[in-house]
Amino acid sequence: MNAKSAVSWKIWPIWTIFLGLSVQVAFANEKYWLPNLEWENAENWIGKRVPELDNYVTFPLDMRHVAGIGKSDELSLSGINLPRSGSLILSKNGKIKLSDSKKSPRKTSEWSRSGHLFWADPQNWNGSSVAAPHLEQVPCRQDDIVLPRKERAFSVLLPMKTIEVRSIRAADEKHPFSAWQWSDFENRREFEKGLFTVNYAEYSCDKCPCQEDPYGYYLEEICAIQRPKCGFVPCEFPLTVEGHCCYYCGGRVSLTNKASLPMVRAATDEALEGYGEKLAWHVRRSWNGAVEVLIKEKGDYSGIDIMKAAENVKRTMTNMKIEIVAVEVTGAALQNQHLAATLVPLFVTPLLILALVFCSFLYFGYSYRQILVSCRELFSSIRDGVRVDKMESSKPFGFARFENISEGNVRIANVENDGEQKLEVKGGAGEGSSSGGRFENPLYRSKRKGKEEGEILDMNAPVSLTALKTKVEDQIEEVEVDIDE
C-alpha cells in the first residue's frame, strides 16, 4: 500500500462520520404509536380469527378502550356482549345488525385486549432502539410523535405527570399539529378527561434529559408497568442503567460530558456497522451530562458479541481522540435456575429437620447406636405395617351359601316358636321329627362317609381278594380327601 492510499484510508471513516452526522441532523427521532384497535386486526381476537358472519362477539368487562369498526358499513352478528367501560366506534354510516341464528350452532369470538393502553408503556411505542432504557423508549422531549391515521381508532391513557415532546402529527399528515391545535384534543374521546398531560416543549435542548423528572415520578409510572415483565437476568454481572426498570445485560462505553452527542452517534454507527443483525445500540446523555453508549443483543444473551462490539467502539473513539472513562460488559451468560431454586428447598428442608432432630437426641444423652437402632425399628414397623395392609387388602373375598336341596336329609324350616328356629328332619325318624339326620353343606359334598355308615369287614368270615382290594382303594381315596381338605 502506497502513502497516498494509506492517507485516503484514514480519511474515509471521517467522511462517513460527517455524512452520518448530517443525516442525524436532517432526520429527527420519530416514535410511532403501535396498538391497532381495528375490528379487522386478527391480533385483537383470541385465536387470531376475525369474527365471521353471525358470530357471537364478547368484549371484556374491563376493556377500557375503544374498538373501531371502520371498513364494514353493516355488520351482522348473532349477539354481542358489550364492556362495562369502553366503546365501539363505527364508520359514518356504519350499522350493527343482530340476527337470530338458532338453526346453526353459535360461534363465539372474544376480544383479546383489556385494560387501558398507557402512554407510559414502552411496548406501545416504536422508533427507539431496544438497547435504550425504558424511560427513553417512550416519547422524550426531543422526539416527534406520530399517532394513527384519523380514520383509525385511537385510545390512550396519558401519564399522571406532565411531560413534553417536540411535535405531534397524524400518520396521514405531513406536518405536525400546532400547539393550539394539539390543545384542542383535550376534550376528544381518545383521551381520558382531566388527564391531558402531554405538552409541546418550549425550546430545544441537546443536553437536557429525556424528561424533566427530578423526583422520579414519571419513571416510577413506567416501571410500575415494566417491572413485572423483567424476568430472569441472563448475565453474570448486570448493569444498573439510568431510566431502566430492570437489570441491564449488555455493554456500556462511558465518555465525558465534553463529548458531542451527534459525533458519538455517528462514530458508534461506524464502529458497529457489521453488527446490525445481532446487536442494537443506543447513545444517550446521562443525568449528569456525560455521554454513554449502550449495547445490547437482539436475541438471547451470549456475551461474546458484546465484548467484541464494545472493543470496536473503544478503538474507534480512541482514534477520534474522544476521551473514554470506562468500558463495561456484563460477563458470561447464565442459565435459568428458577426450577432448581424451587426444588432445592423442597428436598433440603427435610434433611435439615432430620439433622436437627438427630443433634437434639445427642444433646439429651442418647448414643449413636441407640438412635440408629430406634430408627431401624421404626422403619421395620412401618414396613411391616405396610406389608400387612397390602396382604389384608389383597385377601380374596369369600362367602358361603346354604339352601334346601332334595339330596340332603336336613332342611331349614322357617317355623317360629318362641323366637327360635327349628330344624325339620326328613327321613330317619320320620316326617316332622326333630331327631336324627345329618346336616350337609350343599356347596361341599365330601365323598368320605362316616365310619358308622361304612361296612366293617368281618375277619372271622371268609373274605374274597376282590372285596379286600375294593376296601383298600376306598381307604386310600378317603386319605387323599383328608389331605385335600
Side-chain angles (χ1 to χ4, degrees), residues 2-59:
N2 54 30
K4 184 176 181 181
S5 60
V7 172
S8 63
W9 180 82
K10 292 180 180 180
I11 293 175
W12 169 251
I14 298 176
W15 281 106
T16 306
I17 290 172
F18 278 106
L19 180 61
L21 180 60
S22 64
V23 171
Q24 292 287 336
V25 173
F27 298 96
N29 189 29
E30 290 186 338
K31 291 182 179 175
Y32 294 80
W33 179 257
L34 290 178
N36 184 349
L37 302 178
E38 295 301 317
W39 182 281
E40 294 79 11
N41 182 20
E43 298 293 331
N44 291 330
W45 300 97
I46 293 179
K48 297 183 178 181
R49 298 185 63 180
V50 179
E52 299 175 355
L53 184 66
D54 293 333
N55 277 20
Y56 192 91
V57 176
T58 301
F59 289 94

Side-chain angles (χ1 to χ4, degrees), residues 233-446:
V233 181
C235 57
E236 189 175 6
F237 307 107
L239 300 174
T240 301
V241 177
E242 294 173 341
H244 201 65
C245 303
C246 312
Y247 285 115
Y248 194 94
C249 290
R252 176 167 59 189
V253 180
S254 300
L255 311 173
T256 65
N257 54 4
K258 298 179 181 179
S260 171
L261 194 64
M263 183 68 70
V264 173
R265 283 175 179 167
T268 304
D269 293 341
E270 174 63 24
L272 302 179
E273 183 179 3
Y275 292 93
E277 296 181 357
K278 299 180 180 179
L279 302 178
W281 54 90
H282 177 71
V283 180
R284 64 181 294 269
R285 190 173 293 278
S286 62
W287 297 344
N288 61 3
V291 178
E292 63 182 16
V293 180
L294 299 174
I295 308 171
K296 193 173 185 178
E297 290 182 281
K298 291 183 176 179
D300 295 334
Y301 177 84
S302 65
I304 299 175
D305 293 327
I306 295 292
M307 296 178 62
K308 294 179 180 179
E311 196 62 32
N312 286 352
V313 173
K314 177 182 177 181
R315 184 169 53 251
T316 303
M317 299 296 176
T318 302
N319 293 338
M320 295 182 60
K321 306 300 181 182
I322 299 176
E323 185 180 355
I324 296 177
V325 176
V327 177
E328 302 168 272
V329 293
T330 52
L334 299 179
Q335 298 292 331
N336 193 340
Q337 303 295 335
H338 284 178
L339 180 60
T342 304
L343 294 179
V344 167
L346 183 64
F347 292 102
V348 173
T349 301
L351 297 178
L352 294 178
I353 294 174
L354 291 176
L356 182 61
V357 173
F358 187 78
C359 295
S360 301
F361 281 121
L362 293 177
Y363 177 78
F364 287 106
Y366 294 92
S367 64
Y368 293 100
R369 184 180 297 277
Q370 289 175 329
I371 297 174
L372 292 177
V373 170
S374 300
C375 292
R376 188 181 299 113
E377 291 177 355
L378 179 63
F379 176 75
S380 299
S381 63
I382 294 174
R383 182 185 58 188
D384 295 340
V386 172
R387 287 182 178 178
V388 170
D389 292 340
K390 287 184 177 180
M391 291 175 63
E392 290 180 353
S393 62
S394 61
K395 254 184 192 178
F397 175 79
F399 65 94
R401 184 182 66 178
F402 299 91
E403 61 180 2
N404 294 326
I405 60 175
S406 59
E407 298 176 5
N409 58 356
V410 177
R411 292 186 183 182
I412 300 174
N414 293 326
V415 179
E416 295 184 358
N417 185 9
D418 297 334
E420 296 181 355
Q421 214 176 33
K422 291 185 177 181
L423 295 180
E424 180 183 355
V425 181
K426 293 184 178 181
E431 293 276 336
S433 175
S434 61
S435 61
R438 294 176 62 246
F439 181 80
E440 293 186 359
N441 185 351
L443 297 181
Y444 172 72
R445 304 188 184 96
S446 175

Side-chain angles (χ1 to χ4, degrees), residues 191-204:
F191 308 99
E192 291 283 347
K193 293 183 179 180
L195 293 176
F196 199 77
T197 53
V198 178
N199 299 327
Y200 275 22
E202 297 180 357
Y203 56 91
S204 178

Side-chain angles (χ1 to χ4, degrees), residues 52-56 77-79 99-109:
E52 299 175 355
L53 184 66
D54 293 333
N55 277 20
Y56 192 91
L77 301 173
S78 62
S99 60
D100 188 7
S101 57
K102 295 182 178 179
K103 297 181 180 179
S104 59
R106 188 175 74 174
K107 296 181 180 179
T108 303
S109 299

Side-chain angles (χ1 to χ4, degrees), residues 52-216:
E52 299 175 355
L53 184 66
D54 293 333
N55 277 20
Y56 192 91
V57 176
T58 301
F59 289 94
L61 290 178
D62 57 344
M63 189 171 77
R64 299 183 185 276
H65 55 265
V66 301
I69 310 176
K71 294 184 178 180
S72 177
D73 293 337
E74 184 172 335
L75 186 63
S76 178
L77 301 173
S78 62
I80 184 169
N81 282 347
L82 294 175
R84 183 169 50 200
S85 58
S87 57
L88 293 179
I89 299 180
L90 303 177
S91 58
K92 188 174 182 180
N93 297 318
K95 298 178 182 178
I96 295 180
K97 179 182 178 182
L98 299 180
S99 60
D100 188 7
S101 57
K102 295 182 178 179
K103 297 181 180 179
S104 59
R106 188 175 74 174
K107 296 181 180 179
T108 303
S109 299
E110 187 173 352
W111 187 264
S112 61
R113 295 180 182 268
S114 62
H116 290 292
L117 299 175
F118 295 95
W119 180 285
D121 188 353
Q123 293 188 351
N124 290 336
W125 296 98
N126 184 26
S128 61
S129 172
V130 295
H134 294 129
L135 178 62
E136 298 177 23
Q137 291 182 23
V138 298
C140 295
R141 61 176 299 154
Q142 302 89 357
D143 295 335
D144 296 321
I145 309 306
V146 181
L147 300 180
R149 299 189 305 270
K150 294 179 180 179
E151 63 270 14
R152 273 183 49 184
F154 172 66
S155 179
V156 62
L157 181 63
L158 297 178
M160 299 295 294
K161 181 186 178 299
T162 301
I163 63 168
E164 295 181 340
V165 295
R166 193 168 82 164
S167 68
I168 301 174
R169 68 177 179 89
D172 54 349
E173 297 287 340
K174 295 182 179 179
H175 303 288
F177 303 114
S178 63
W180 65 268
Q181 286 177 325
W182 173 247
S183 63
D184 289 342
F185 279 71
E186 181 175 1
N187 297 322
R188 295 183 59 170
R189 64 176 182 270
E190 289 88 349
F191 308 99
E192 291 283 347
K193 293 183 179 180
L195 293 176
F196 199 77
T197 53
V198 178
N199 299 327
Y200 275 22
E202 297 180 357
Y203 56 91
S204 178
C205 179
D206 180 56
K207 293 189 176 182
C208 293
C210 176
Q211 294 290 345
E212 293 291 341
D213 188 30
Y215 300 104

